[in-house]
Amino acid sequence: MSNDQNKPMTQKLYESVPSSRLTAKFLTATTLSATLLFLSGLTLTWTVIALIMATPVMVLFSPVLVPSAIVIFLVITGFLFSGGCGVAAITALSWIYNYVQGKHPLGADKLDYARDMLASMTRGVTEKAKEYGQYVKYKAREVAQGERS
């Protein structure tokens, strides 16, 4: 037999009742949620009413409003893109300045590793190019000597 079955019913009820702090939290959350849901419904209702009232005005002015909205959208997009490019350029220049000054900015070790890898690869390619150039020179001499004979 479990220990719960031996307890009186009132003690079981007392233990299962949430604390007053938990009850206050629940009531506060419920009240706040209901208020926000009500305000959300009011906002949606008034938005629909405003849209219904503004539709005739929008239809009358649509030959002016649509192109102007497109122009405003493009101008705002252009300014945002321009600002983003400016921020990216300033960030890149700042990183390059710190790298040149030897302050070891974030990612400098990867850049050094890539530079070393490229240098080692180009050394191998340079040596092969010299060998191939000497081979072509040798073949050209053979062909020139063959034509003289």
Side-chain angles (χ1 to χ4, degrees):
M1 295 225 153
S2 73
N3 194 17
D4 287 342
Q5 290 179 354
N6 293 336
K7 294 181 180 177
M9 187 62 135
T10 55
Q11 186 178 3
K12 288 181 192 177
L13 285 174
Y14 180 74
E15 289 175 357
S16 67
V17 171
S19 67
S20 60
R21 184 177 185 148
L22 186 62
T23 305
K25 283 183 180 180
F26 173 75
L27 289 175
T28 304
T30 304
T31 305
L32 186 63
S33 299
T35 304
L36 290 175
L37 186 62
F38 176 73
L39 289 174
S40 173
L42 278 179
T43 304
L44 178 64
T45 303
W46 284 107
T47 302
V48 170
I49 290 171
L51 184 62
I52 290 171
M53 293 172 61
T55 299
V57 176
M58 289 174 63
V59 169
L60 288 174
F61 291 114
S62 66
V64 174
L65 292 178
V66 171
S68 63
I70 292 171
V71 167
I72 289 172
F73 172 76
L74 290 175
V75 167
I76 290 172
T77 304
F79 279 129
L80 289 176
F81 182 74
S82 172
C85 288
V87 168
I90 290 171
T91 303
L93 288 173
S94 171
W95 188 92
I96 290 170
Y97 177 77
N98 287 333
Y99 181 76
V100 169
Q101 293 295 321
K103 295 181 181 175
H104 198 72
L106 184 65
D109 52 343
K110 292 180 182 179
L111 180 68
D112 293 337
Y113 176 75
R115 185 186 61 215
D116 294 340
M117 289 297 296
L118 285 173
S120 66
M121 288 171 37
T122 55
R123 272 188 235 115
V125 170
T126 305
E127 291 171 6
K128 288 182 182 179
K130 285 181 183 176
E131 290 174 10
Y132 189 69
Q134 290 173 355
Y135 173 75
V136 168
K137 194 176 190 181
Y138 174 74
K139 285 296 184 180
R141 284 184 188 159
E142 281 184 2
V143 170
Q145 288 176 359
E147 290 177 0
R148 289 184 192 162
S149 318

